[in-house]
């Protein structure tokens, strides 16, 4: 089985369970794993960290395991999926040949209707958006169940053309039962009722919605239809009535059952296209998702692909995937329903258009509060009435508290919103909603929802406000109060943060309120191993903060503003010192840390002075300045313990605890170093900080090497390397390979030692760290 066929089958499986297909990242992981690629390769190709890829893969395997009833993982996925898909690839609904049935893919709907009838439902409203296949289903049901008599009424497309119910019933009596109507309508209904009680009759009332008012009740000129429906709903009758409607029928005195007809499954689309000798292509999965399985769209698209694209689904989709309403027929299909909403319920129409501001991508479903925020011009008492109106007209999907527009419907909403005065305000309200919605970031979905505000401001466009979204600080899972951008990259979302910041700085490269974006970009480059650009970004932060503070008018020189600008300066110097350690530019690193100490000591930024003192102690221990390193370490021991006691947030200090532990190890205080490492690793695991954990594991390995416990040392080194490969921390990874090389060297395994030295040299060379290369080379 090839990867594309596998992906089709798995997408069909997931769609049948959840109503949505795999995410783009999950599809990529499945394809690449199927082809034998490692997580590290997938990370490089997608721009995510290896750790994020592994987390996404773990969720994918868990999902597939629950659906297949068998454990699925990276190692066995190929075998398990091939076994489960054998039936599905030879005779399944996904790829089967036509069975000459006049209706494709509606077996479950037929069964559902049959169950409702057996439970006593006499009148069933089949409700769905235009083109889903309501009428075809109703007709097929009566045909499949062998109804000898089927009375049909097609309501007029326009309200003014609806025929009177008296005429309808008279025609039914004369044509199907050879009986004349009575002089009064009540008498005529009575005669129809007797026929319905004596024989099995099917009644199809098609396209009901033109006869309904904005509240879903029968319109005033045709209220007599209610009398007919009461007769049809009589439990003593043998008739079954199916009505089709885009809108919900809301007559409180009438007992009816509503059946929501979903779009066709992917397997039905595959069968339909296969029957027409159109080669199935993976793009069909995306097309099916985009059009919500709409039956009419399926027919229109198949015709266009055959006529204009020589039967190539891929060619059609490449041309039209960014314009889902490219054909007149498809546009009219959606527009007619939206136009009717505009005429009947202007308030619901405005909400429908405003919902076009949401992307429905990283966050596929919007909570109710996200709809309510767009009803800024209506009193709260009317909010749910408007939302219900959209639901009743099949224009918005709803499940488990989340709302969304299908892509085709969304495309129409976007077009109409962009052409209205509400475009900017709707995006602004949506951005404010996401910002207020997420107060604490503890999970990846939290982070992605918070980032949605950025995309709304970028769409307006207002990149200054977009930048402030990235800089808004919240408490995160590491018990740190950090800007959104910093929390996102710690979670492995490097590429989205980089792209967003780059777009903002392209518009506002020196905006005083956005200076910290340079600082975050520096950290992004540092993690990625691009240390020279990282240093440049931190220098930009220092220059802009200093310049802004110097030119700030006295009236704007608030205590908070001054504190913030000086904080950016000292934080950037501290970051530069850490970057320089990774380059093994120890003298320069010491200068940066000393600058922070001189600038921040006994000021409101004293915390940075204490962090810098810890780092300076580490540098001095590397440089052999033992007395100074010991003094700094002793003071740091005392300061850190006090801060942890006061703040009760140990996770936020884990990074500097492990630096202090490394200092003690360098000074020969192995037990004290081990104690600090054990304390820090507990904090790192509690707060899910893999980079710190990896550095600690590497430090513990060094301690075991010093004690000649080489097996334990190798094990810790390998654990550290595995973690660092996941998160893509290249500098730490290079150091870990160097330390493992030293361990194997002392363990009298020179060949293995050289392999790790060479890996370290390659990594240090890639990040332009010649002094690190020289350090490794000197130990070969």
């Amino acid at each position: 089985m090839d990867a594309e066929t596998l992906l089709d089958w798995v997408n069909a499986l997931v769609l049948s369970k959840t109503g949505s297909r795999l995410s783009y990242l999950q599809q990529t992981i499945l394809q690449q794993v199927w082809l034998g690629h490692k997580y590290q390769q997938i990370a490089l190709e997608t721009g995510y960290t290896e750790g994020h890829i592994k987390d996404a893969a773990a969720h994918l395997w868990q999902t597939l395991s629950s659906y297949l009833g068998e454990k699925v993982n990276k190692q066995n996925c190929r075998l398990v999926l091939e076994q489960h898909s054998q039936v599905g690839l030879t005779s399944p609904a996904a790829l089967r040949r036509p069975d000459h049935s006049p209706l494709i893919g509606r077996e479950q709907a037929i069964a559902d209707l049959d169950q409702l009838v057996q439970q006593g439902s006499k009148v069933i409203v089949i409700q769905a958006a235009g083109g889903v296949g309501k009428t075809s289903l109703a007709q097929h049901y009566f045909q499949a169940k062998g109804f000898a008599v089927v009375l049909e009424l097609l309501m007029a497309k326009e309200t003014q053309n609806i025929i009177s119910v008296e005429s309808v019933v008279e025609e039914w009596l004369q044509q199907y039962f050879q009986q004349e109507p009575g002089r009064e309508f009540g008498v005529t209904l009575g005669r129809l009722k007797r026929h319905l009680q004596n024989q099995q009759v099917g009644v199809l009332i098609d396209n009901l919605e033109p006869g309904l008012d904005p509240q879903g009740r029968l319109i005033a000129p045709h209220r007599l239809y209610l009398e007919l429906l009461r007769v049809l709903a009589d439990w003593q009758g043998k008739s079954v009535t199916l009505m089709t409607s885009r809108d919900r029928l809301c007559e409180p005195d009438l007992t009816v059952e509503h059946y929501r007809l979903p779009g066709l499954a992917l397997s039905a689309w595959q069968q339909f296209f296969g029957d027409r000798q159109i080669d199935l292509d993976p793009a069909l999965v995306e097309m099916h998702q985009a059009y919500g399985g709409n039956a009419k769209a399926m027919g229109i698209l198949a015709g266009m692909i055959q006529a204009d694209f020589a039967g190539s689904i891929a060619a059609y989709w490449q041309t039209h995937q960014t314009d889902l309403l490219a054909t007149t027929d498809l546009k009219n299909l959606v527009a007619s329903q939206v136009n009717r909403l505009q005429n009947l319920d202007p308030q619901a129409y405005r909400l429908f258009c405003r919902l076009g501001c949401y992307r429905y991508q990283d966050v596929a479903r919007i909570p109710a509060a996200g709809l309510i925020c767009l009803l800024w011009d209506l009193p709260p008492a009317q909010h749910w009435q408007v939302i219900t109106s959209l639901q009743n007209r099949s224009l918005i999907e709803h499940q488990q508290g989340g709302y969304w527009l299908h892509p085709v419907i969304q495309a129409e909403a976007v077009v109409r919103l962009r052409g209205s005065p509400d475009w900017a305000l709707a995006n602004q309200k949506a951005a404010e909603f996401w910002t207020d919605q997420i107060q604490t970031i503890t999970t990846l979905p939290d982070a992605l929802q918070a980032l949605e505000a950025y995309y709304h401001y970028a769409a307006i466009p207002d990149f200054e406000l977009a930048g402030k979204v990235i800089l808004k600080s919240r408490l995160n899972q590491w018990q740190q109060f950090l800007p959104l951008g910093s929390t996102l990259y710690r979670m492995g979302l490097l590429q989205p943060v980089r792209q967003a910041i780059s777009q903002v700085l392209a518009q506002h490269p020196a905006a005083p309120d956005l200076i910290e974006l340079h600082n975050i970009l520096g950290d992004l480059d540092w993690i990625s191993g691009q240390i020279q650009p990282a240093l440049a970004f931190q220098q930009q932060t220092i220059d802009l903060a200093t310049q802004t503070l110097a030119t700030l008018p006295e009236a704007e020189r608030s205590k908070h503003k001054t504190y913030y600008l000086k904080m950016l300066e000292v934080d950037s110097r501290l970051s530069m010192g850490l970057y320089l350690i990774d380059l093994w530019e120890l003298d320069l690193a010491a200068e940066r840390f000393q600058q922070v100490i001189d600038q921040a000591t006994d000021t409101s930024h004293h915390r940075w002075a204490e962090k810098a003192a810890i780092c300076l102690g580490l540098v001095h221990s590397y440089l052999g300045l033992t007395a100074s390193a010991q003094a700094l370490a002793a003071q740091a021991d005392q300061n850190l313990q006090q801060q942890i006691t006061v703040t009760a947030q140990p996770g936020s200090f884990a990074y500097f605890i492990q630096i202090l532990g490394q200092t003690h190890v360098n000074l020969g205080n192995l037990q004290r170093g081990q104690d600090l490492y054990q304390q820090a690793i507990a904090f790192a695991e509690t707060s899910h900080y893999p980079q710190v954990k990896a550095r600690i594991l590497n430090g513990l390995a060094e301690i075991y090497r010093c004690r000649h416990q080489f097996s334990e040392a190798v094990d810790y080194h390998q654990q550290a390397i595995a973690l660092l490969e996941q998160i893509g921390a290249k500098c730490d990874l290079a150091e870990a390979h160097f330390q493992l090389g030293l361990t194997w060297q002392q363990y009298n395994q020179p060949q293995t030692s050289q392999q790790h030295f060479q890996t370290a040299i390659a990594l240090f060379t890639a990040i332009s760290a010649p002094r690190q290369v020289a350090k490794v080379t000197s130990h070969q």
Side-chain angles (χ1 to χ4, degrees):
M1 178 172 29
D2 61 64
E4 297 298 341
T5 304
L6 164 82
L7 186 58
D8 286 349
W9 184 83
V10 175
N11 262 318
L13 169 69
V14 175
L15 193 70
S16 70
K17 301 287 187 180
T18 67
S20 60
R21 61 192 178 92
L22 296 175
S23 69
Y24 173 78
L25 180 57
Q26 288 176 319
Q27 293 184 60
T28 301
I29 290 172
L30 188 58
Q31 286 178 309
Q32 296 298 311
V33 168
W34 192 263
L35 296 172
H37 294 173
K38 297 182 181 296
Y39 287 143
Q40 185 178 20
Q41 294 173 276
I42 302 172
L44 290 173
E45 292 180 11
T46 59
Y48 291 97
T49 65
E50 187 176 1
H52 184 62
I53 294 297
K54 287 192 173 182
D55 289 342
H59 183 264
L60 172 61
W61 308 140
Q62 182 180 9
T63 299
L64 294 178
S65 298
S66 66
Y67 294 160
L68 298 175
E70 180 178 355
K71 184 174 180 60
V72 182
N73 55 38
K74 181 174 182 286
Q75 287 70 37
N76 73 0
C77 72
R78 184 158 192 153
L79 176 62
V80 173
L81 293 176
E82 282 186 332
Q83 289 175 342
H84 279 271
S85 63
Q86 285 307 306
V87 175
L89 289 173
T90 56
S91 65
L95 295 173
R96 69 177 183 266
R97 286 301 161 196
D99 58 3
H100 305 294
S101 170
L103 193 67
I104 292 176
R106 287 306 187 193
E107 295 82 3
Q108 185 59 52
I110 292 290
D112 291 342
L113 291 177
D114 205 35
Q115 183 178 8
L116 290 173
V117 170
Q118 291 179 17
Q119 291 172 350
S121 298
K122 306 297 295 180
V123 180
I124 303 171
V125 180
I126 303 173
Q127 187 185 357
V132 172
K134 304 180 293 293
T135 303
S136 298
L137 172 63
Q139 292 172 335
H140 185 75
Y141 178 81
F142 288 130
Q143 178 185 351
K145 296 304 173 182
F147 280 76
V149 177
V150 179
L151 312 179
E152 292 196 22
L153 166 61
L154 175 61
M155 301 288 279
K157 295 289 185 182
E158 303 295 334
T159 302
Q160 62 268 26
N161 297 328
I162 296 176
I163 191 172
S164 70
V165 68
E166 297 95 330
S167 299
V168 170
V169 178
E170 287 176 5
E171 182 180 347
W172 284 350
L173 283 173
Q174 293 171 337
Q175 181 175 348
Y176 294 99
F177 305 110
Q178 292 76 50
Q179 185 174 6
E180 292 299 318
R183 290 185 178 181
E184 298 180 356
F185 184 55
V187 175
T188 302
L189 277 180
R191 293 174 180 175
L192 175 65
K193 182 176 182 179
R194 284 192 292 274
H195 287 292
L196 298 181
Q197 289 174 340
N198 294 330
Q199 57 183 305
Q200 187 183 47
V201 176
V203 180
L204 171 57
I205 300 177
D206 196 24
N207 192 40
L208 178 65
E209 65 269 15
L212 302 179
D213 66 15
Q215 285 71 47
R217 305 187 64 178
L218 291 162
I219 57 178
H222 295 284
R223 292 291 295 171
L224 277 179
Y225 269 98
L226 187 58
E227 301 303 319
L228 170 62
L229 294 178
R230 288 196 178 103
V231 169
L232 297 175
D234 181 13
W235 66 272
Q236 293 180 327
K238 295 182 179 180
S239 67
V240 173
T241 300
L242 299 180
M243 296 189 285
T244 71
S245 179
R246 298 179 181 183
D247 299 354
R248 187 177 182 86
L249 175 61
C250 301
E251 284 289 353
D253 298 331
L254 185 65
T255 301
V256 300
E257 187 76 38
H258 282 82
Y259 177 69
R260 280 274 188 173
L261 181 63
L264 288 169
L266 174 63
S267 59
W269 274 49
Q270 290 172 326
Q271 179 184 344
F272 184 84
F273 280 81
D275 290 347
R276 283 147 186 78
Q277 306 303 311
I278 299 174
D279 290 336
L280 300 183
D281 184 272
L284 185 63
V285 177
E286 295 184 25
M287 289 171 57
H288 171 268
Q289 175 71 11
Y291 290 96
N294 188 282
K296 187 170 184 178
M298 177 179 70
I300 293 170
L301 293 171
M304 285 192 62
I305 290 168
Q306 285 179 313
D308 301 334
F309 291 87
S312 172
I313 292 175
Y316 172 85
W317 194 235
Q318 184 176 4
T319 304
H320 292 298
Q321 62 180 318
T322 58
D323 185 6
L324 300 179
L325 299 175
T327 68
T328 302
D329 288 343
L330 287 174
K331 185 168 182 63
N332 290 342
L333 178 66
V334 177
S336 62
Q337 189 167 355
V338 178
N339 289 340
R340 183 171 185 274
L341 175 68
Q342 185 178 12
N343 294 330
L344 284 180
D345 194 339
Q347 294 175 344
Y349 171 75
R350 284 196 294 272
L351 175 59
F352 168 78
C353 295
R354 291 169 185 175
L355 285 169
C357 73
Y358 289 113
R359 300 189 312 139
Y360 309 98
Q361 293 179 20
D362 297 328
V363 182
R365 298 179 181 181
I366 312 302
L371 277 63
I372 291 172
C373 77
L374 300 179
L375 295 170
W376 62 80
D377 47 359
L378 288 180
Q382 297 182 30
H383 288 172
W384 281 107
Q385 176 184 335
V386 173
I387 294 171
T388 302
S389 178
L390 287 184
Q391 288 182 263
N392 288 346
R393 290 181 168 82
S394 307
L395 281 168
I396 188 171
E397 302 297 320
H398 172 243
Q399 188 176 38
Q400 297 179 343
Y403 297 81
W404 72 98
L405 300 180
H406 272 302
V408 175
I409 301 295
Q410 180 198 6
E412 182 72 12
V414 170
V415 169
R416 296 188 181 224
L417 180 61
R418 283 187 179 276
S420 78
D422 287 346
W423 171 252
L425 187 54
N427 276 287
Q428 179 183 330
K429 293 291 185 180
E432 293 170 354
F433 158 71
W434 289 122
T435 299
D436 295 338
Q437 174 86 353
I438 306 300
Q439 297 296 321
T440 304
I441 297 177
T442 58
T443 66
L444 186 59
D446 292 339
L448 291 173
Q449 288 185 56
L451 187 60
E452 283 296 303
Y454 163 83
Y455 296 106
H456 287 290
Y457 285 129
I460 296 179
D462 189 331
F463 282 101
E464 186 170 2
L465 288 176
K468 290 180 179 179
V469 169
I470 303 170
L471 293 179
K472 179 174 175 57
S473 293
R474 297 174 176 86
L475 193 67
N476 63 22
Q477 63 180 341
W478 298 285
Q479 299 300 308
Q480 298 167 317
F481 193 69
L482 288 181
L484 173 62
S486 298
T487 295
L488 283 169
Y489 77 66
R490 280 168 169 77
M491 289 183 163
L493 297 177
L494 276 67
Q495 193 56 37
V497 179
R498 181 186 298 279
Q499 184 177 2
I501 293 178
S502 298
Q503 288 180 337
V504 172
L505 292 182
Q507 301 294 324
H508 301 284
D513 292 338
L514 304 178
I515 296 172
E516 193 172 357
L517 293 178
H518 298 274
N519 176 281
I520 296 174
L521 269 182
D523 282 345
L524 286 171
D525 280 344
W526 176 41
I527 294 171
S528 303
Q530 303 176 61
I531 300 184
Q532 293 300 335
L535 289 166
F537 277 121
Q538 297 300 352
Q539 188 60 53
Q540 281 183 305
T541 305
I542 294 171
D543 294 342
L544 288 169
T546 304
Q547 178 183 353
T548 301
L549 186 60
T551 58
L552 199 64
E554 193 65 33
E556 299 179 20
R557 195 181 290 269
S558 66
K559 183 177 180 180
H560 173 75
K561 189 76 171 181
T562 302
Y563 170 87
Y564 177 69
L565 291 170
K566 289 184 176 180
M567 181 275 291
L568 289 180
E569 184 179 350
V570 295
D571 188 75
S572 290
R573 293 190 194 282
L574 181 66
S575 296
M576 292 174 79
L578 293 171
Y579 303 173
L580 288 165
I581 291 178
D582 283 341
L583 291 178
W584 212 240
E585 298 283 355
L586 299 179
D587 291 331
L588 291 176
E591 288 181 15
R592 295 296 182 275
F593 294 137
Q594 189 61 56
Q595 289 171 355
V596 174
I597 293 170
D598 294 341
Q599 186 175 356
T601 298
D602 295 331
T603 71
S604 55
H605 303 96
H606 187 75
R607 285 183 301 150
W608 278 265
E610 292 179 343
K611 293 175 183 178
I614 294 172
C615 299
L616 183 60
L618 175 64
V619 173
H620 283 183
S621 71
Y622 283 135
L623 291 172
L625 302 175
T626 304
S628 172
Q630 287 176 337
L632 289 166
Q635 185 62 48
D637 279 330
Q638 181 180 347
N639 291 340
L640 261 180
Q641 194 55 50
Q642 288 177 348
Q643 289 187 33
I644 293 172
T645 302
V646 170
T647 63
Q649 294 179 351
S652 60
F653 297 106
Y655 189 88
F656 291 95
I657 293 175
Q658 62 88 21
I659 288 180
L660 182 56
Q662 182 66 58
T663 303
H664 278 290
V665 171
N666 292 350
L667 293 171
N669 305 325
L670 299 186
Q671 189 55 53
R672 177 55 181 160
Q674 184 172 358
D675 292 342
L676 285 167
Y677 282 151
Q678 296 295 349
Q679 184 182 19
I681 201 169
F683 297 159
E685 289 175 340
T686 302
S687 54
H688 310 293
Y689 207 151
Q691 184 181 12
V692 173
K693 181 179 178 180
R695 291 172 66 108
I696 295 167
L697 290 170
N698 198 47
L700 287 169
E702 188 177 351
I703 291 174
Y704 282 111
R705 182 179 71 226
C706 293
R707 293 171 175 167
H708 299 284
Q709 295 173 268
F710 296 115
S711 296
E712 291 85 348
V714 169
D715 180 58
Y716 277 115
H717 281 310
Q718 290 175 340
Q719 289 184 53
I721 288 172
L723 271 177
L724 293 167
E725 285 178 341
Q726 288 180 23
I727 62 178
K730 294 182 180 179
C731 299
D732 292 332
L733 182 60
E735 179 65 20
H737 277 287
F738 169 60
Q739 292 295 333
L740 180 52
L742 291 177
T743 298
W744 283 118
Q745 189 179 64
Q746 291 190 30
Y747 201 18
N748 295 319
Q749 297 288 336
Q751 185 174 356
T752 306
S753 173
Q754 286 301 315
Q755 291 174 357
H756 289 283
F757 284 152
Q758 289 303 318
T759 300
I761 289 172
L763 287 167
F764 279 133
T765 300
I767 62 178
S768 301
R771 288 183 180 271
Q772 290 278 29
V773 172
K775 179 186 75 173
V776 178
T777 303
S778 68
H779 287 81
Q780 286 184 302

